[in-house]
Amino acid sequence: LILSVNYSPELTGFGPYTTQLAEYLVKFGHKVTVIASPPHFPEWCIYENYRQKRFYNKEYINGVQVLRTYTYVPPNMSYFKRILYDTSFSISALLRGIFIKPPDVILAVIPPIQIGLTAYLLAKLFKCPYLIYVQDFPLELSVASGILNSNSIVYHVGSAIQKYILTRTKGIATIYDSYKLQIESIIDDKSKDIVEVLPNWIDMNFFKNQSNWNDFRIANNIKPEQFLAVYSGNIGQKQGLDIIINAAKILNEDSRFLFLIVGEGSDKFRLQTLARKYDLSNLRFFSLQPDHIFRSILNSADVLLVTMKPYVREWPSKVLSYMASSRPILASASFESDLAQVIVNLSCGIVVEPSKPDELVKALKKLKEKRKDDLKEMGRRGYEFVCSNFDKSNILTRFKHFITRSLES
């Protein structure tokens, strides 16, 4: 049994990883049931085909039984609404889970933290082990961003729940080494040796047959000589995309540069409003695209953009697709972040301080002045790095062993 607020057909965020894991386990003969919310991310709006069955829906997707359960999905997110969103799914998943066939093992995908408590209670009911899969630490992120005070009741209650579920699980998987250290400090018992780093992965086969870089440019009237800077991914406040708007504003009279922002998210409308306000002719927005067009967009770029708020230390999963497309990366991120250190150490791109559009513009001009072969070499280094460390088949094999070990112990 997998408990995950996000699942297919969602195309971004944590959902695709949970989906690929579940389908991988099915291929090896495991019976997998997923309890998930109706699909709604990144638009924060329940998909039209699911609105009539938002309280109850059962479907099979590529051999996986998916049970949809009620989740409060607010169109405009606030911290209080986020708590309601997380809690509504966790309670609803508990009520739904009570009536399923007893599982051999339960895997809870965090966030939200509350779903770990759901996994614990169901594990008690079914007398089976439960595992935790940490994709993010929402409490710590909220404190770092200034949304939540570390002395608040909400933080202390959340921390208590977090420690409770982490100290009672059979195993914990997480996507970063830094998260592993954080988890070990919470459980305060490294001797248990229950934490394993299983990073998000990338299907390298998807990028092996690179399409003609010019296809997307021709279809969208982008000149071959224009230096194309592309951001693709979730468009939320956490991403700090204002820096792209402001960089485009600085370069608005320079026709040599063109920016693309591709994706959906809660901050997209505001950014589009700003772009219209500044009359930015060098910035275009695209919605989420099918896989073959998404790959063509990445291939058409001269540089791929990553923007992160100063308090974000971990690197977003979109970077894997960026590197797999063999393109240099221009990141607006803290130099203390994991992403910045990887880019600097590999020499696969350039890092500038977050929220400094002037520095982003300087870096863009510097990259444009480089020889094509130099840009290709930067992209090649990133490609080889993800091939060696983030290949989908290798990590999913390790994940399967992580789950099966809980049944043997």
Side-chain angles (χ1 to χ4, degrees):
L1 172 64
I2 298 177
L3 306 174
S4 176
V5 68
N6 302 109
Y7 197 77
S8 177
E10 294 179 355
L11 298 175
T12 63
F14 308 144
Y17 294 104
T18 306
T19 303
Q20 291 171 38
L21 172 62
E23 293 177 359
Y24 178 83
L25 293 172
V26 166
K27 288 180 180 178
F28 284 86
H30 298 282
K31 293 181 179 179
V32 180
T33 296
V34 175
I35 297 180
S37 68
H40 58 277
F41 187 81
E43 295 87 351
W44 291 102
C45 178
I46 294 175
Y47 292 8
E48 186 174 356
N49 292 345
Y50 290 83
R51 290 174 191 168
Q52 299 300 318
K53 297 182 178 180
R54 66 174 61 195
F55 289 93
Y56 178 90
N57 189 30
K58 177 180 177 181
E59 59 183 325
Y60 287 87
I61 303 176
N62 295 328
V64 179
Q65 179 180 249
V66 183
L67 306 177
R68 306 285 181 181
T69 191
Y70 172 76
T71 305
Y72 167 67
V73 181
N76 299 307
M77 187 63 73
S78 66
Y79 196 77
F80 177 71
K81 289 179 180 178
R82 179 67 192 233
I83 294 174
L84 291 178
Y85 164 76
D86 292 343
T87 305
S88 68
F89 171 68
S90 301
I91 293 174
S92 185
L94 174 63
L95 297 175
R96 189 70 187 274
I98 289 172
F99 299 102
I100 69 169
K101 181 180 178 181
D104 297 310
V105 62
I106 300 170
L107 176 69
V109 182
I110 294 177
I113 294 170
Q114 296 95 311
I115 199 64
L117 198 55
T118 299
Y120 168 79
L121 293 172
L122 289 176
K124 281 288 187 182
L125 174 66
F126 294 124
K127 295 181 173 56
C128 70
Y130 76 94
L131 306 171
I132 299 293
Y133 178 22
V134 179
Q135 282 273 3
D136 206 348
F137 277 103
L139 272 179
E140 286 71 12
L141 184 62
S142 297
V143 171
S145 63
I147 296 174
L148 185 65
N149 191 311
S150 60
N151 294 319
S152 66
I153 294 176
V154 172
Y155 179 80
H156 286 299
V157 170
S159 296
I161 294 173
Q162 186 170 260
K163 184 169 184 175
Y164 191 86
I165 62 173
L166 292 177
T167 53
R168 287 162 174 79
T169 180
K170 278 278 189 178
I172 305 167
T174 190
I175 59 177
Y176 300 117
D177 291 321
S178 59
Y179 280 5
K180 180 182 179 182
L181 295 174
Q182 193 169 339
I183 291 166
E184 288 175 341
S185 70
I186 293 171
I187 63 177
D188 199 27
D189 186 3
K190 295 182 181 179
S191 64
K192 292 177 75 173
D193 193 28
I194 62 171
V195 188
E196 185 168 349
V197 177
L198 294 168
N200 286 336
W201 53 84
I202 187 74
D203 185 357
M204 297 306 298
N205 291 323
F206 179 73
F207 292 91
K208 280 184 177 177
N209 298 318
Q210 303 277 4
S211 60
N212 189 325
W213 74 275
N214 217 22
D215 290 348
F216 179 79
R217 288 180 177 248
I218 293 171
N220 291 277
N221 298 314
I222 300 172
K223 297 176 182 178
E225 65 272 15
Q226 280 187 299
F227 196 79
L228 185 60
V230 175
Y231 171 89
S232 179
N234 184 37
I235 305 176
Q237 293 186 355
K238 178 182 174 181
Q239 282 66 45
L241 289 165
D242 286 80
I243 191 172
I244 297 180
I245 300 292
N246 292 322
K249 184 180 176 183
I250 294 170
L251 291 170
N252 203 19
E253 302 301 321
D254 192 338
S255 60
R256 298 176 301 165
F257 295 91
L258 180 64
F259 296 87
L260 300 187
I261 295 179
V262 183
E264 300 293 339
S266 59
D267 210 29
K268 185 174 182 178
F269 178 77
R270 184 186 69 84
L271 294 172
Q272 288 176 316
T273 302
L274 279 176
R276 286 192 295 269
K277 176 183 176 181
Y278 299 138
D279 194 23
L280 299 179
S281 59
N282 60 348
L283 172 62
R284 303 184 194 177
F285 287 85
F286 285 80
S287 59
L288 283 173
Q289 300 295 314
D291 284 347
H292 68 285
I293 297 179
F294 166 70
R295 182 172 59 186
S296 182
I297 291 174
L298 297 186
N299 290 342
S300 71
D302 293 293
V303 63
L304 296 168
L305 301 174
V306 182
T307 60
M308 294 160 50
K309 289 290 183 70
Y311 55 80
V312 178
R313 293 292 182 264
E314 292 72 34
W315 62 339
S317 57
K318 69 170 70 68
V319 175
L320 301 180
S321 297
Y322 282 11
M323 289 183 171
S325 65
S326 303
R327 293 296 182 271
I329 295 171
L330 175 51
S332 167
S334 168
F335 282 97
E336 297 177 2
S337 66
D338 295 343
L339 174 61
Q341 293 174 30
V342 168
I343 291 174
V344 171
N345 291 337
L346 291 178
S347 297
C348 64
I350 296 178
V351 181
V352 299
E353 286 287 353
S355 305
K356 292 189 177 180
D358 291 343
E359 295 298 316
L360 189 71
V361 168
K362 288 179 183 177
L364 280 169
K365 290 181 176 179
K366 182 178 179 180
L367 286 167
K368 181 168 174 47
E369 292 169 1
K370 285 184 176 291
R371 296 184 304 117
K372 290 288 185 182
D373 288 345
D374 292 336
L375 296 178
K376 286 182 180 179
E377 178 60 20
M378 295 170 81
R380 183 192 64 79
R381 295 188 191 111
Y383 179 85
E384 291 184 351
F385 177 70
V386 292
C387 278
S388 301
N389 297 282
F390 299 95
D391 180 66
K392 177 181 176 180
S393 59
N394 291 338
I395 295 173
L396 284 178
T397 299
R398 290 170 53 201
F399 216 127
K400 180 168 68 74
H401 292 158
F402 165 76
I403 294 173
T404 55
R405 277 200 308 272
S406 70
L407 299 174
E408 297 167 357
S409 59

